[in-house]
Amino acid sequence: MALWGGRFSGGPAESVAALSRSVHFDWRLAPYDIRVNRAHLQGLVIQGVISAENGEKIDGALQELFQEIAQGKFTYIDSDEDVHSAIERGLTAKLGELGGAIRAGRSRNDLVVTDFKLFLIDHIVEIAGLLTQLVEAINRQAEGHTQTIAPGFTHLQHAQPIVFGHEFAKHSHGLLRDIDRISDWLERNSFSPLGAGALAGSALQPNPESSAETLGFIGTMGNSIDATSDRDFVAEALFIFAMVGVHLSRLGEEFTLWSTSEFGWVTVADAYSTGSSIMPQKKNPDIAELARGKSGRLVGNLTSLLVTLKGLPFAYNRDLQEDKEPVFDSVETLTTLLPALIGMVSTATFHHEKISRDVTAGFSLATEIADFLSRKGIPFATAHEVAGKCVKACELKQIELHQLSDAELHGIHPSLTPDIRLSLTAQGAVESRISSLGTSPTSVMEQISTLQAENELAKRWIAGEAKRFTEMMES
């Protein structure tokens, strides 16, 4: 049913109706629309706009609709413009003209943005919970490799030896920052726009704080025009989702490389691999590749919304109908992708021998020579030059740094005494880096312990938010 039309001599053209129709994608807001309407109804009853008796009838009908929607017994039809008109159609089917009373004192403008905020709160908490599971899986694998030495890479070239657990744990840091962003998002955006009306506030709902509390918000927004037109909370959420996607793409790229015959560092479990339709021998890391690929649509969804929001004047504009599909797509992408990645990481088998093979190839111990000389008081610029000469000497002889003789080392620089050989091992290189953010085994074990503690804290507040939100939806 249409929620407008009294001043029009006829309905919209078929093409206009098709363009305006959003119920096919905003129907997923239906449970939230019921909840917001019930909170709004309480205020109308308190203000005497709707009698207590009629209020009970409307509330009962809304609760019935909520159950029917959950059971699939009530859904939208072709003539519904959006989720709000579909819900009102359901109400009037149950109550007749009384069903339209719920519209007093509110607009679709403040209704839809309130619905949408609640949807995002619900689903961003769900995504945060999935991220903690992925962090836990990463930490568990990293913990098993605090003694495994691997070549570290910059520019995809061998750089310096590192502990593999250190390499893998870096992903947990990025994902925990994403969880922290979600926490910030919740704190900043848990303010209710309900009561803003179309743009000027409501003469029939003078106490929006009450409905805000009922809906689980921590307060109300401070300006009715901003309340109906603000989509910062949507753009912020899409940025968080895009950032998660970027972090997942890095994890996916590394698994894709590590699983190649050339690396051979990891075997992905059969349950998280796929095969080829023509090559029987193939075992492809498709989950990792999809993690890499899905980041593109997550970034694209953010970009599309920012372009939509740019330059919108005054209060609500119909352009804002375009805010939902990017969010729905990003939420579905992450809630589908994350469980698969959690499984892939948890069941992966890493191969210690292959990871540690060739760890000093590419002259990755050259920095140890420069550090050795620096500790003897030689300026690092000079030490760097000397280390480079050692590399050049090795290239000419086609040997590694530790294969230079004592005489050859001394000939390059007199301070390169035989005790430098204690530094020219991968084990010595990693064990020397004992700072809190270093790659020594002890530092890495402490790092993983801290990551686990941070993740447990995150799991606790996420569980609390999820419980609070579930109770709110069921009340």
Side-chain angles (χ1 to χ4, degrees):
M1 62 178 293
L3 302 183
W4 51 272
R7 59 93 65 220
F8 290 83
S9 57
E14 185 176 338
S15 60
V16 173
L19 180 62
S20 298
R21 191 168 185 262
S22 61
V23 69
H24 54 290
F25 61 80
D26 67 19
W27 179 247
R28 70 193 69 200
L29 297 179
Y32 306 96
D33 200 76
I34 296 287
R35 186 72 187 105
V36 175
N37 271 308
R38 290 186 66 202
H40 175 68
L41 175 64
Q42 291 177 19
L44 294 178
V45 171
I46 290 171
Q47 294 302 314
V49 176
I50 294 177
S51 68
E53 180 182 357
N54 284 339
E56 287 185 12
K57 292 178 182 177
I58 296 172
D59 192 60
L62 285 169
Q63 291 186 64
E64 287 178 14
L65 275 176
F66 185 87
Q67 294 301 322
E68 291 169 7
I69 290 167
Q71 296 163 6
K73 294 179 179 178
F74 180 82
T75 188
Y76 63 88
I77 59 177
D78 288 344
S79 59
D80 292 325
E81 182 181 6
D82 53 30
V83 62
H84 320 298
S85 57
I87 297 298
E88 190 163 323
R89 173 177 57 80
L91 274 179
T92 55
K94 292 178 180 293
L95 301 172
E97 186 180 17
L98 179 60
I102 191 68
R103 207 190 306 170
R106 66 149 173 79
S107 161
R108 283 187 296 181
N109 295 357
D110 63 340
L111 179 60
V112 70
V113 69
T114 309
D115 293 355
F116 200 22
K117 269 197 172 181
L118 293 177
F119 171 90
L120 257 173
I121 290 170
D122 189 12
H123 288 83
I124 206 168
V125 168
E126 178 187 1
I127 288 167
L130 290 170
L131 290 174
T132 63
Q133 293 178 44
L134 181 54
V135 168
E136 191 167 358
I138 291 168
N139 290 347
R140 196 178 302 117
Q141 290 281 19
E143 192 173 28
H145 290 279
T146 57
Q147 301 297 326
T148 302
I149 301 178
F153 292 86
T154 62
H155 308 279
L156 280 178
Q157 305 294 315
H158 279 220
Q160 292 176 272
I162 57 168
V163 167
F164 184 68
H166 191 56
E167 177 78 74
F168 204 45
K170 74 175 186 287
H171 294 293
S172 288
H173 288 277
L175 295 172
L176 282 168
R177 286 194 297 272
D178 293 328
I179 294 170
D180 198 42
R181 290 184 187 98
I182 290 173
S183 176
D184 289 344
W185 184 95
L186 285 167
E187 183 176 347
R188 184 164 42 256
N189 294 298
S190 293
F191 292 87
S192 174
L194 189 62
L199 82 160
S202 173
L204 302 179
Q205 285 278 34
N207 185 22
E209 290 78 13
S210 178
S211 61
E213 183 177 356
T214 299
L215 291 169
F217 289 107
I218 60 177
T220 60
M221 296 188 71
N223 180 293
S224 60
I225 300 172
D226 180 53
T228 58
S229 61
D230 166 51
R231 293 299 186 274
D232 290 7
F233 72 98
V234 186
E236 281 189 50
L238 286 174
F239 169 76
I240 293 170
F241 299 154
M243 200 70 245
V244 170
V246 168
H247 287 146
L248 299 183
S249 76
R250 296 185 66 194
L251 180 65
E253 170 71 354
E254 289 179 2
F255 260 81
T256 302
L257 289 172
W258 292 338
S259 64
T260 60
S261 299
E262 288 72 19
F263 269 81
W265 287 14
V266 67
T267 297
V268 178
D270 285 359
Y272 297 95
S273 304
T274 63
S276 165
S277 61
I278 190 171
M279 295 173 285
Q281 84 282 7
K282 290 301 294 295
K283 181 179 177 182
N284 300 324
D286 280 17
I287 303 306
E289 292 175 343
L290 286 168
R292 192 175 58 190
K294 294 288 186 184
S295 63
R297 69 190 299 161
L298 294 168
V299 173
N301 287 336
L302 169 63
T303 303
S304 69
L305 180 76
L306 291 175
V307 174
T308 298
L309 297 180
K310 183 192 72 65
L312 290 184
F314 303 123
Y316 181 85
N317 294 272
R318 191 61 181 273
D319 311 51
L320 294 177
Q321 180 174 301
E322 298 301 309
D323 63 351
K324 295 168 197 64
E325 289 179 285
V327 166
F328 296 154
D329 181 73
S330 290
V331 166
E332 287 182 2
T333 295
L334 287 174
T335 53
T336 302
L337 174 60
L338 282 166
L341 273 178
I342 293 162
M344 182 192 76
V345 171
S346 299
T347 58
T349 301
F350 289 94
H351 306 297
H352 170 96
E353 303 81 7
K354 290 187 177 180
I355 293 171
S356 297
R357 184 185 60 197
D358 300 328
V359 69
T360 60
F363 311 111
S364 64
L365 296 174
T367 306
E368 308 311 307
I369 295 175
D371 287 351
F372 175 84
L373 293 173
S374 292
R375 283 192 289 269
K376 290 199 168 189
I378 295 171
F380 189 81
T382 301
H384 187 283
E385 186 75 13
V386 170
K389 289 179 179 179
C390 291
V391 170
K392 185 176 181 180
C394 288
E395 287 180 324
L396 290 172
K397 298 188 68 174
Q398 296 185 337
I399 60 174
E400 292 294 332
L401 289 166
H402 68 277
Q403 295 176 304
L404 288 170
S405 67
D406 290 349
E408 287 170 326
L409 288 167
H410 188 268
I412 293 170
H413 195 282
S415 294
L416 291 177
T417 52
D419 56 330
I420 192 176
R421 299 197 179 280
L422 297 173
S423 300
L424 289 181
T425 66
Q427 191 72 39
V430 297
E431 288 183 352
S432 69
R433 285 159 172 79
I434 58 174
S435 70
S436 59
L437 49 71
T439 193
S440 72
T442 302
S443 297
V444 174
M445 285 188 284
E446 290 176 355
Q447 173 195 170
I448 294 170
S449 177
T450 300
L451 285 169
Q452 289 171 331
E454 290 176 0
N455 200 43
E456 286 302 315
L457 281 175
K459 286 166 65 175
R460 282 198 287 274
W461 75 253
I462 290 166
E465 285 296 304
K467 181 175 183 291
R468 182 176 71 84
F469 195 82
T470 300
E471 290 173 349
M472 179 199 75
M473 286 295 290
E474 292 176 350
S475 65

